[in-house]
Amino acid sequence: MKLKLILTAVLAATAFGAQAQTAPVKIKVAHFLPSISNLQRDVLEPWCETLRTESGGRLQCELYPAMAIGGTPPNLVSHVRDGIADVVWTSPSYTPNLFPAMEAIELPFVVPADGLGGSRAMWAYYEQHARKDFERYKVLALHSGSGQNLNTVKAPVRTLADMKGVKLRSPSRVSSRLLSALGAAPVNMPASAITESVSRGVADGALAPWELVTAIKLDEIARFHTEPPAGKPAYFAVSMALLMNKKKYEGLPVELKAVIDRNSGLPLVEKFGASWDRATEVSRKRAAALGNTLVIQKAEDYEAMRKAAESVEAEWIKEVKAKGLDGAALIAAAREISNKHLARAD
């Protein structure tokens, strides 16, 4: 009887151990956009389903959109670093001191305006010049949030003179410097505050990509949208990153790491880019259907803005020199990479 009890206990312990080993690994995924955004519906949800399927159900996501995990968008990098979230989607530009080298490709008039070309350029730049910035994270993808356009309420922006005194939302310090160089008045605010701020007159419009314009219904208030000429770099574009807690990743079994690795890197970057391009087309059509004015800037007016923004690069080069970075070399590398992807953008 005693031997039987011992055997029963051993079998139960073995069964429990096997069950524990095959228990699903929960991955908390946090971001700052609504659950209806193309980010969640078109990229994150399919990505999570792929992880679940390829892992035989052992990897399962829990999504926390719209900062449901707590805090504000700039907190996301610390949330994933400290394990409050396992994966986050955020912009390195929200915490620029942590990612100084990455800023080179976010400087004005550098990155391709489209989602796919811009994302390929940003990923290539990260791999060649900005890996050190992200040493504390497992980088799953790094892509472009597409070119930021000039979205205004009262009148369209066609020329440099039209920018004078216009209060525009700015998403980062680099874009604030750009707007100041162009004669506008930058108003720093997160994406979640744009629509209310513009409707109340706190800002006259926003520097924002098409995808965001529709997601926050800015096109119902700001009825004028100005874009660069076709084939030209964006006025400005932020990098977006899908980051994973390094300890969480390293603690996974080899076979689960392999699932994540197969579904990250350039293939995932291109999925983000393609999704942003689809969202751009949908947003353009929606704006046109609302009767909004879509402006493609003339080449000479675009070049006047580009020249006016040269001071932003000079200021950035001086700033990062104190951090031991060769800013001029990083900008040259960013332009060289971006120019290759400008030719590929369609």
Side-chain angles (χ1 to χ4, degrees):
M1 179 63 70
K2 191 173 182 181
L3 181 59
K4 184 182 287 187
L5 288 173
I6 292 171
L7 287 171
T8 301
V10 170
L11 288 171
T14 302
F16 179 81
Q19 185 179 8
Q21 287 178 354
T22 58
V25 175
K26 299 291 185 181
I27 299 176
K28 293 184 287 185
V29 182
H31 64 89
F32 59 83
L33 290 181
S35 58
I36 61 170
S37 62
N38 77 297
L39 163 73
Q40 180 158 324
R41 289 184 172 181
D42 202 27
V43 183
L44 292 183
E45 289 178 2
W47 180 73
C48 285
E49 178 58 22
T50 298
L51 295 188
R52 189 193 67 79
T53 301
E54 291 192 10
S55 68
R58 294 172 64 193
L59 289 173
Q60 296 183 9
C61 293
E62 294 176 347
L63 288 165
Y64 294 83
M67 295 308 302
I69 204 159
T72 62
N75 297 139
L76 287 168
V77 289
S78 58
H79 282 352
V80 72
R81 184 188 65 222
D82 299 338
I84 295 170
D86 300 315
V87 172
V88 300
W89 179 83
T90 187
S91 175
S93 65
Y94 293 161
T95 48
N97 290 328
L98 295 179
F99 309 100
M102 198 64 208
E103 276 191 326
I105 201 161
E106 293 187 342
L107 288 168
F109 303 97
V110 172
V111 78
D114 69 303
L116 189 55
S119 294
R120 286 168 172 161
M122 284 191 172
W123 180 254
Y125 176 83
Y126 153 73
E127 287 201 304
Q128 296 172 37
H129 302 283
R131 281 186 174 273
K132 189 175 180 181
D133 281 2
F134 297 87
E135 284 179 332
R136 302 177 73 179
Y137 308 90
K138 166 68 176 175
V139 178
L140 303 176
L142 204 150
H143 70 99
S144 171
S146 292
Q148 305 251 335
N149 302 317
L150 301 165
N151 307 278
T152 49
V153 175
K154 296 177 182 178
V157 171
R158 299 182 188 277
T159 68
L160 183 59
D162 293 337
M163 293 288 286
K164 189 172 183 179
V166 179
K167 296 181 293 182
L168 290 173
R169 173 262 181 172
S170 169
S172 73
R173 67 177 181 178
V174 169
S175 59
S176 291
R177 291 170 182 174
L178 166 63
L179 292 175
S180 294
L182 298 181
V187 183
N188 291 347
M189 67 180 74
S192 58
I194 295 174
T195 306
E196 182 180 358
S197 297
V198 173
S199 65
R200 290 170 51 205
V202 175
D204 301 316
L207 191 60
W210 275 115
E211 177 272 336
L212 182 59
V213 166
T214 295
I216 61 175
K217 299 185 178 180
L218 179 62
D219 51 5
E220 296 179 7
I221 304 165
R223 296 305 187 101
F224 303 95
H225 314 277
T226 303
E227 298 179 77
K232 295 292 185 180
Y235 303 119
F236 168 78
V238 296
S239 60
M240 306 303 303
L242 191 68
L243 305 175
M244 186 170 187
N245 177 273
K246 211 167 186 179
K247 186 180 288 187
K248 180 81 171 188
Y249 171 78
E250 291 174 349
L252 293 174
V254 173
E255 64 274 16
L256 296 188
K257 284 183 186 176
V259 172
I260 288 174
D261 291 345
R262 278 198 305 273
N263 294 285
S264 59
L266 184 58
L268 182 56
V269 168
E270 291 179 335
K271 285 180 182 177
F272 274 111
S275 173
W276 256 243
D277 284 337
R278 289 192 294 270
T280 292
E281 283 308 301
V282 169
S283 297
R284 279 200 188 103
K285 289 177 181 177
R286 173 181 153 93
L290 287 170
N292 294 5
T293 301
L294 279 62
V295 176
I296 304 298
Q297 199 175 29
K298 291 181 179 179
E300 58 267 30
D301 294 324
Y302 172 85
E303 290 302 325
M305 284 190 178
R306 182 170 4 204
K307 187 165 183 60
E310 288 176 354
S311 61
V312 179
E313 286 191 10
E315 184 179 0
W316 185 80
I317 289 169
K318 288 181 183 177
E319 185 178 274
V320 298
K321 185 177 181 180
K323 300 175 183 178
L325 297 176
D326 185 342
L330 289 174
I331 293 171
R335 287 197 188 283
E336 182 181 0
I337 290 169
S338 291
N339 287 341
K340 291 177 184 176
H341 292 283
L342 271 175
R344 293 173 60 182
D346 49 35

